[in-house]
Amino acid sequence: MRSLLPLLLALACATPPVPKTEPPSILLVTLGGTPAHRLGPYGSATAQTPTWDALAASGITFNRAYTTTPQTLPSLTSIHTGQVPPTHGVRNDGDFVLSEKSKTLAEQLAGAGYLTAAFTSTFTTDSRWGLDQGFAFYGDTHTDPEPLLLHRRFADEVIDEALETLPALTGPTFVWVHLDDTNPPRFFSVKPDAEPVDATVTYQDAQAGRLINAWRVLHPDGIVVLTADHGEGSGYLLEDAMLRVPLFLSGPGLQAGETVDDPVSIVDVAPTLLAMAGLPKSLAHQGADLRSGGTSLPYSESLAGQYALGLAPIYAWTDADGRFVQGGWGAYYPAVGPLVQDQSTGTALDVQATTLAHLRTNQGEIAGQHAVLSSAERGLLRNLNALYGDAAALPGEIDPRDAELRIARVALAAVRQEQGMLMRTDELLDSAIADLPTAWGARLRKAIVANERGYPMVTILSLESMWAERPSTGVAVLLAETHEQRLANDQAAHWWNLALERNPASIEIAAGLLRTQASAEQWSVYVASQPADLVRVQLLQAELHLREDRPHDALQLARVAAAQMPWSARARWIEGEALWEMGHVNPAIDALYRAVELSPWHAHYRLQLGSHLREVARYDHALRVLAPIARRLPDNPTVIDNFEGSRQGWIDARKKVRRPGTGYTTVKRGIKP
């Protein structure tokens, strides 16, 4: 055998290899709806922000950092992609999802060996919008609120989850934490005279302090970045209160306590972090390294007015001297110190408009991937003040700066709708539409309100009229949903088909078509063609198991889906039907009650629940559940037969002597006849 001694001696005498330096771990913290002026380092004397004060002292503070849009999802997408909204395609909350073709910061870092984890707090950061791309762990699992209101987690819960997970992340790590306690503000009485927003900012600062202290222990040479998705005020406008956001950068090699007064953009975050990690800038990035000055002419936009009210879209750029805004008309707003004023200098110059046109021409605008929303999801967005509408709405001519009272009416209508004041909602929407006849989004909302008021045919006629004007995915989906709720599956399938032609990648639309038209074999083929780890695909698989008489499998997947999508009436319905098939009567009826609460006008859910209540002789409960759809669908024989059968059962039961302790008992869940 050949001796290994010479080789070992040679290795011993060789020059020892230079140890490879591990790239720095990165913590990105984003705040929801928090303008720069609310934080201590930017001059606030009312909020207590020792965490942000210390972060500013340890690194660089950017006094004039600007978001790309005053909406949560598009601006966070800009942070993660390093692109402006026209380029990444997400132009408004609730109307778009991030395409899988986009490459996020998490994907780039994961490709370089980073462990990636995210901990988010609100429905607009849910994985269904695409922000989970590149994250090995994405913490958007929310508890099931009772009643379901804001669907958000407060900062303490988010930070607790992050602190539990961080020690298990070894090696270079990228962690994103999003806190959203200010929209609307969560009030904490830290100071007797503090207003809710300042008190909430103080609370957020304290919670983030727990995270950053733990991060410094685990990653003493790590990078910490803090910024916000947008400021506060009207998301229809491009004023400083909405666009100027905090931005701190702390890490190795940075000058402690440095301040930068030049304008920069949130699209600079991704290329800066890649550069600090020793990785090349992506060719798709439109931002620049903040350490070298960042973006010299930050771009911002808002299309919320176009999608919701048929107003003109507004675009802007900001430089050291102020901001140019172009909508129905253009104007320049001067800067005084770090603040851009709300009063313009007058008529815009041609050179300013030309600069904006040049910026927009070079953005490589794409058609974004449209979102498909359920009725429960639309309600969640309304509760979060998200300005969703319809991405098919054409741009109008009226500038949002000239329509603030009309905008306020629509905002109030959304509040009244969630409060159940539907007649007042109708009046407010009528007023807005009278002033803004092109208000496409407001007309959609009015059609939805008509259905909630018990006039589904008014809804259908209104939507068909809108479809004739301008075919859109949103209109087709609402028509399909309304017909399906009325048990008119043939008509529903027609509109699901039209919607699928316009948005063939949508799992939600495909699911509607499968429910109303497809055979079990077609259903199985479609499910097999989709990624098995997507929760919406798992929900389809659960319903397929139910059709195949596999209730145990259906129940398991339905509960997984319900945990991740607590607003999903379909998940609760599948859970209830699976439990019923397994003989668990009480839990089954409770789950079906939950489905009806989440989708109160879906006749199929009420019909199934009413039928099961009849089977266990709870005729009074069955009558309460069935009465609303009996009034809405007086010509449907299935509905009327079940209602009359329940009424007759109740009459017959009253004639009999009841035995104490028999029959099914459950808590009445607030279902109104």
Side-chain angles (χ1 to χ4, degrees), residues 8 36 135 344 364 529 551:
L8 294 174
F135 286 103
S344 73
S529 70

Side-chain angles (χ1 to χ4, degrees), residues 219-381:
H219 305 283
D221 296 322
I223 299 167
V224 179
V225 182
L226 168 83
T227 189
D229 53 6
H230 56 76
E232 61 190 9
S234 171
Y236 294 91
L237 304 176
L238 298 179
E239 296 175 341
D240 226 40
M242 282 303 292
L243 296 183
R244 182 171 173 252
V245 294
L247 179 57
F248 306 118
L249 177 62
S250 176
L254 299 177
Q255 179 66 44
E258 182 182 354
T259 59
V260 174
D261 294 324
D262 294 329
V264 296
S265 171
I266 59 171
V267 298
D268 299 329
V269 171
T272 302
L273 294 178
L274 285 177
M276 295 182 74
L279 298 173
K281 174 184 174 181
S282 168
L283 294 177
H285 284 166
Q286 294 166 312
D289 192 334
L290 287 164
R291 298 171 300 173
S292 303
T295 298
S296 60
L297 204 64
Y299 168 87
S300 305
E301 69 172 32
S302 176
L303 274 65
Q306 174 183 330
Y307 296 145
L309 290 172
L311 299 172
I314 52 174
Y315 310 97
W317 54 259
T318 304
D319 65 6
D321 297 321
R323 176 177 302 122
F324 174 68
V325 180
Q326 177 74 57
W329 44 273
Y332 191 80
Y333 299 82
V336 177
L339 304 178
V340 175
Q341 303 302 296
D342 292 340
Q343 297 298 318
S344 73
T345 57
T347 307
L349 302 175
D350 289 342
V351 66
Q352 295 166 339
T354 302
T355 300
L356 179 62
H358 179 72
L359 273 178
R360 295 189 58 209
T361 300
N362 293 330
Q363 288 169 347
E365 184 172 348
I366 67 167
Q369 184 175 325
H370 292 184
V372 177
L373 302 176
S374 68
S375 57
E377 288 172 326
R378 287 190 289 271
L380 288 169
L381 289 169

Side-chain angles (χ1 to χ4, degrees), residues 41 51-61 248 255-258:
T51 300
W52 309 140
D53 296 343
L55 188 61
S58 69
I60 305 174
T61 300
F248 306 118
Q255 179 66 44
E258 182 182 354

